[in-house]
Amino acid sequence: MILHGYIVPGRPLPLLAPEKNPHWAELRRGFEQAREEIKVSGADLILLYSTQWVNVIGHQIQGDPNPEWVHVDQDFHAFGTMPYQLRMDADFAKAFEAAGRGRGLFTRAVSYKGFPIDSGTIQALQLLNPDNALPACVVGCNMYADRAETIVLAKAAVDALKATGKKAVAVAVTALSNRVFPRMIDPKDDRLYSAKDDEWNRKLLEMLEDGRVEDVSQVIREFSQQASGDQRGRAFWWLSGVLGQHNGYAGKALAYGPLWGSGAAVVSLSPAPERNLSREFDEGEVETFGGERGVLAGGKTAEASAPAAAAAAPKPVSSGAIHTSAKKAPKAVGAYPHARRQGDFIFVSGIGPRQPETDEIPGGPVRNADGAPRDYDAAAQTKAVIENIKAILEDAGSSLDAIVDCQCFLIDMQRDFKAFNEVYRQYFEGIQATRTTVEVRALPTPIAVEMKVIAKA
Amino acid sequence: MSTGRIVAGALAPHPPHLVYAENPPQNEPRSEGGWEVLRWGYERLRKDLAKTDYDVILVHSPHWKTRTGNHLLAVPQLSGLSVDPIFPNLFRYTFDMKVDVELAKAIHAEGQARKLEMSLMENPEFRVDYGTIISCHLANPAWDKPIVAVSSNSTYFDFSNEMGQDEMARLGEATRAAIEQTGRKALLLASCSLSHRHFTTESELPEDMSKEHITHHGQYLWDMRVIELMKQGRTRELMDILPDFTEQAISETKDGSLAWLLAALDYPSFPAEVYGYGSVIGTGNAVVGWIQSIGTANVANSR
Ligand SMILES: [Fe+2]
């Protein structure tokens, strides 16, 4: 899971020369505030995407556990060298690679001595994590990737977090407006390149401070057109992707200012479900990457060819049995998991109303301990069934909303259907899953209702 | 000191695949070969260069990207390990080069006189970009000449291809003036591909030639049109259509190397020698030479 999200700038002036301009110093203080948040966040990984690590062949992931070199920036070589010694989570890089492949991406963990780590990554890790207290995982930015592919990359990162049980903070290394002074300037004269760029940046920051991460991802193309976005805003697509593509965040702009004319900000985003504003989807959801992008005529879009890629791709790392914790769901009464992820779907086993840990049946069992029938509350049982399914799906990263099909089993249709149907309506009216309801003679435990669902992963 | 001059210029693309395929001792990964047509093209270029007398190589590389002006290497000796950030599996090369700092400083001054933004790169820890290294290796694997490396200042291309090209043309003039003034006999390399749409996946064996082809026929047609103009010595016309080519063929000429070269050569009207053309991971690459002694002799013969 992701605990916090951060946006930080890549031009390495806050690292190399904070004393040369008050804005650069302020940005550095922004990094330091973010560092303090990360320190107490409980994270065990920094997951970082850098627009300065430009990729052509799919997406590369840094897999060298201890990259070490003396780096010199291509532009700012006169401001000094950037020696680095970093700590990467090589196992996580492998898990991320596998998860990416599972979603049809060409992901590749790379581990080579002397690999040129980019200035943006070095600045971010040295200022956010100076003593390498946390290991990091760094992924590059493919220069051809569209929004769909970048979101699939983000989902693969989340798959890998689930598979490894890691808690991460996500860091997007990117400029806001990316127009720079095309010349050497006196550092003390640095300012935003234009009033127009400044205004667009402030608009973006306003949305981010409002926690509207997904809204920013949706408007970033327009921003990039207008304010010369860094890598067309790919880092914002990625960040919203790893943060779950919604607007339920509390944002703080810790610092904002110019870096050689470009817009630079340190922004922190923390989950705030109560603030979740409505979101609008103007593009279809995409789960897998389908190969070549539609840059040239005849190219296929990611969405259009997704099924073919999914068929060809190896199994996702997160595929397979999902055993929900006994604290959250009733324990199974046989050799089966609560659910199983396969491809884009989660298949949930038949679930009854028994309560996690206690096995208590809300509304009472249908028989007494001696086997004699007793009066029970079918509505209470139905509600408990649905709540159990909800917990199982949410634990697997899905939700009730994602249910596409539902099979319902009642032991007494005549007695219970009306009550069952009313509770069902309360939960499912807006979901509109397909449904089949049948009467069965008995269920394995003394319950009256069981449901079995299939949901989107 | 006699007046210096540019004795030859070449379009010398830098796919790391070509060095990988050759297995030179400096490069760590090993291959089974591949991309022979382009490599034979470089071989023929080297044969012609061997007949010319030059004492310095100037290279303009798209992979030293600067956005703060035109930068020039100005450290007398640079060495280290170059790992390609995009194809680290193919290119991990130990380099050791001499830099003609005096010439770099002369270009710096000539550029400033033309109101260009110029900087000298004087940090001895600097890692030379792989585009520079690959083009220099392929043109002169002996590394027995000093080099001057010019960064790709692509900022003006962000405004428009025309503006970018105009800047590069002025940089080309400044380069020529500095060479003349310092008495150098120079070889110039424009380190870039033509059409530049890559595949975004790689076959299991990178040198599997059954997988290699141009990404798109439209790219190929553009490449042929551009090469034909070079062959016919119509380089001013080429400059006129270059902004469109850059846009439509998603060409690496966007980083300015070819415009710089043609301007430095003062838009040669003699036919260029096309040594080879081939695709590398979908991009179009040509090895093309403008060798003054050969070119002007051919023009004389044809009259
Ligand atoms: Fe290149």
Side-chain angles (χ1 to χ4, degrees):
Chain A
M1 71 189 277
I2 306 263
L3 301 167
H4 297 282
Y6 294 94
I7 294 157
V8 300
R11 286 197 175 76
L13 300 164
L15 175 68
L16 287 171
E19 72 288 354
K20 288 194 192 308
N21 179 297
H23 296 296
W24 302 357
E26 192 203 327
L27 285 160
R28 178 148 175 155
R29 282 193 296 275
F31 272 105
E32 282 159 6
Q33 276 179 267
R35 173 168 88 211
E36 293 309 311
E37 284 183 15
I38 293 170
K39 212 185 265 176
V40 297
S41 68
D44 41 31
L45 179 74
I46 295 180
L47 180 62
L48 184 147
Y49 175 100
S50 174
T51 54
Q52 291 195 3
W53 184 7
V54 177
N55 287 199
V56 169
I57 304 298
H59 287 90
Q60 299 187 100
I61 302 161
Q62 188 51 250
D64 179 354
N66 297 108
E68 190 177 352
W69 206 256
V70 177
H71 176 69
V72 178
D73 189 77
Q74 299 201 332
D75 268 301
F76 303 112
H77 41 77
F79 289 85
T81 55
M82 304 166 73
Y84 62 81
Q85 241 184 324
L86 305 170
R87 180 155 78 98
M88 300 287 161
D89 187 334
D91 292 337
F92 186 81
K94 282 278 167 215
F96 191 178
E97 175 189 78
R101 300 248 167 178
R103 287 182 179 268
L105 294 165
F106 194 95
T107 36
R108 171 153 80 185
V110 291
S111 176
Y112 297 106
K113 182 181 172 292
F115 188 95
I117 293 188
D118 62 281
S119 297
T121 296
I122 297 168
Q123 166 163 276
L125 291 179
Q126 291 197 339
L127 293 182
L128 296 175
N129 187 39
D131 44 8
N132 286 321
L134 296 178
C137 177
V138 180
V139 63
C141 163
N142 185 296
M143 62 184 275
Y144 296 117
D146 58 12
R147 180 166 167 225
E149 181 177 353
T150 308
I151 288 171
V152 173
L153 177 73
K155 289 184 175 179
V158 174
D159 291 345
L161 288 172
K162 280 186 194 153
T164 56
K166 299 262 177 199
K167 295 191 290 287
V169 293
V171 178
V173 178
T174 182
L176 306 183
S177 65
N178 199 29
R179 244 181 295 259
V180 296
F181 294 109
R183 58 177 183 272
M184 280 298 161
I185 56 171
D186 185 334
K188 68 179 189 312
D189 298 335
D190 197 7
R191 58 172 172 81
L192 258 292
Y193 185 85
S194 68
K196 180 181 164 230
D197 284 355
D198 189 22
E199 278 163 8
W200 275 101
N201 292 335
R202 287 177 190 278
K203 181 69 205 160
L204 208 64
L205 287 172
E206 192 184 298
M207 292 174 85
L208 288 167
E209 290 205 271
D210 211 16
R212 294 159 66 191
V213 178
E214 173 58 18
D215 283 357
V216 166
S217 162
Q218 295 194 20
V219 302
I220 203 71
R221 284 197 192 98
E222 178 63 19
F223 172 89
S224 297
Q225 283 276 319
Q226 296 290 339
S228 188
D230 187 1
Q231 280 288 328
R232 301 186 190 185
R234 291 188 173 96
F236 292 92
W237 292 333
W238 178 83
L239 188 65
S240 181
V242 293
L243 292 178
Q245 292 177 280
H246 61 78
N247 290 318
Y249 285 89
K252 274 184 285 182
L254 302 175
Y256 166 63
L259 286 178
W260 220 266
S262 69
V266 179
V267 178
S268 133
L269 296 155
S270 305
E274 74 286 358
R275 293 172 52 86
N276 200 353
L277 303 167
S278 64
R279 63 176 180 177
E280 168 183 292
F281 270 111
D282 49 356
E283 287 165 52
E285 260 303 356
V286 55
E287 300 296 337
T288 57
F289 174 62
E292 194 53 272
R293 304 150 189 85
V295 169
L296 296 167
K300 293 175 288 181
T301 63
E303 289 88 339
S305 52
K315 296 262 189 312
V317 68
S318 51
S319 259
I322 298 165
H323 295 274
T324 311
S325 142
K327 287 195 170 57
K328 293 185 186 160
K331 58 179 182 293
V333 294
Y336 60 88
H338 290 99
R340 188 174 179 88
R341 188 193 306 270
Q342 189 66 43
D344 295 343
F345 293 100
I346 294 174
F347 295 77
V348 181
S349 297
I351 300 295
R354 282 180 301 124
Q355 293 300 282
E357 299 192 292
T358 62
D359 269 352
E360 188 198 317
I361 298 166
V366 299
R367 293 185 298 275
N368 287 324
D370 57 12
R374 68 175 290 279
D375 196 20
Y376 59 89
D377 181 346
Q381 285 205 13
T382 306
K383 187 168 170 7
V385 169
I386 297 172
E387 288 294 333
N388 280 340
I389 290 172
K390 182 164 178 269
I392 291 165
L393 285 174
E394 285 177 359
D395 195 57
S398 183
S399 64
L400 272 192
D401 297 7
I403 293 178
V404 292
D405 181 60
C406 188
Q407 295 174 43
C408 311
F409 309 96
L410 306 180
I411 59 161
D412 190 338
M413 189 72 80
Q414 202 172 358
R415 178 186 185 277
D416 297 337
F417 181 75
K418 200 166 164 234
F420 155 80
N421 208 32
E422 173 53 23
V423 177
Y424 183 92
R425 186 193 60 75
Q426 288 163 15
Y427 282 93
F428 283 89
E429 192 164 36
I431 296 171
Q432 290 293 308
T434 52
R435 188 183 90 179
T436 310
T437 308
V438 295
E439 185 181 83
V440 294
R441 186 187 298 173
L443 290 162
T445 54
I447 58 173
V449 186
E450 178 170 316
M451 284 169 64
K452 168 167 178 41
V453 304
I454 301 170
K456 285 185 282 183
Chain B
M1 189 186 286
S2 65
T3 307
R5 65 198 169 89
I6 299 172
V7 297
L11 177 59
H14 58 250
H17 305 69
L18 303 184
V19 174
Y20 164 71
E22 182 196 313
N23 294 318
Q26 298 101 321
N27 199 32
E28 192 190 324
R30 299 287 103 183
S31 74
E32 297 175 5
W35 301 278
E36 276 72 11
V37 177
L38 271 169
R39 294 199 288 123
W40 296 333
Y42 262 114
E43 248 174 60
R44 294 174 50 232
L45 169 69
R46 288 196 293 267
K47 266 187 203 156
D48 277 354
L49 290 177
K51 294 179 229 157
T52 64
D53 180 22
Y54 64 94
D55 47 32
V56 60
I57 300 176
L58 289 86
V59 53
H60 185 287
S61 166
H63 293 289
W64 181 7
K65 280 196 202 303
T66 53
R67 290 173 51 88
T68 55
N70 306 292
H71 296 223
L72 295 147
L73 287 189
V75 177
Q77 183 99 26
L78 284 160
S79 59
L81 174 70
S82 171
V83 178
D84 185 326
I86 294 168
F87 300 102
N89 51 329
L90 307 184
F91 190 76
R92 304 190 295 278
Y93 186 101
T94 306
F95 67 94
D96 187 3
M97 59 175 67
K98 276 195 213 38
V99 175
D100 186 340
V101 176
E102 187 193 333
L103 178 55
K105 287 185 173 165
I107 299 171
H108 183 262
E110 288 293 334
Q112 283 188 327
R114 286 167 179 74
K115 303 255 181 297
L116 291 165
E117 284 301 321
M118 304 299 297
S119 286
L120 293 171
M121 201 306 297
E122 293 174 311
N123 189 324
E125 309 268 21
F126 190 77
R127 181 144 56 166
V128 179
D129 74 281
Y130 59 99
T132 296
I133 293 170
I134 293 167
S135 293
C136 287
H137 171 93
L138 291 168
N140 178 35
W143 288 99
D144 56 356
K145 316 267 186 197
I147 73 152
V148 172
V150 188
S151 78
S152 157
N153 173 34
S154 46
T155 323
Y156 288 94
F157 284 91
D158 292 345
F159 295 98
S160 74
N161 287 346
E162 286 80 358
M163 273 183 79
Q165 205 165 297
D166 192 53
E167 286 287 309
M168 287 304 110
R170 283 158 65 203
L171 183 66
E173 286 163 25
T175 305
R176 181 172 69 238
I179 290 165
E180 288 171 358
Q181 187 208 103
T182 53
R184 300 294 196 274
K185 287 174 286 187
L187 163 64
L188 267 59
L189 302 178
S191 172
C192 71
S193 296
L194 295 179
S195 68
H196 205 233
R197 183 58 169 87
H198 299 83
F199 301 146
T200 53
T201 56
E202 192 175 49
S203 48
E204 206 145 321
L205 188 69
E207 60 269 39
D208 180 350
M209 288 297 106
S210 71
K211 301 286 191 318
E212 185 61 79
H213 60 83
I214 194 84
T215 304
H216 187 270
H217 182 56
Q219 309 271 88
Y220 185 81
L221 292 178
W222 256 120
D223 285 350
M224 290 308 121
R225 185 168 168 201
V226 162
I227 289 171
E228 192 56 35
L229 290 174
M230 294 176 183
K231 282 177 69 181
Q232 293 181 15
R234 291 157 63 188
T235 54
R236 281 188 191 275
E237 236 178 292
L238 174 54
M239 284 294 273
D240 288 344
I241 66 159
L242 204 52
D244 284 343
F245 168 69
T246 298
E247 196 62 37
Q248 294 182 26
I250 318 171
S251 173
E252 206 175 22
T253 48
K254 196 173 184 81
D255 295 293
S257 309
L258 183 60
W260 165 81
L261 174 68
L262 294 177
L265 290 168
D266 200 14
Y267 312 105
S269 54
F270 63 84
E273 183 71 25
V274 179
Y275 294 106
Y277 174 84
S279 74
V280 178
I281 199 150
T283 65
N285 295 271
V287 182
V288 180
W290 288 267
I291 297 180
Q292 302 283 6
S293 54
I294 300 171
T296 37
N298 285 347
V299 172
N301 289 340
S302 68
R303 281 201 182 123

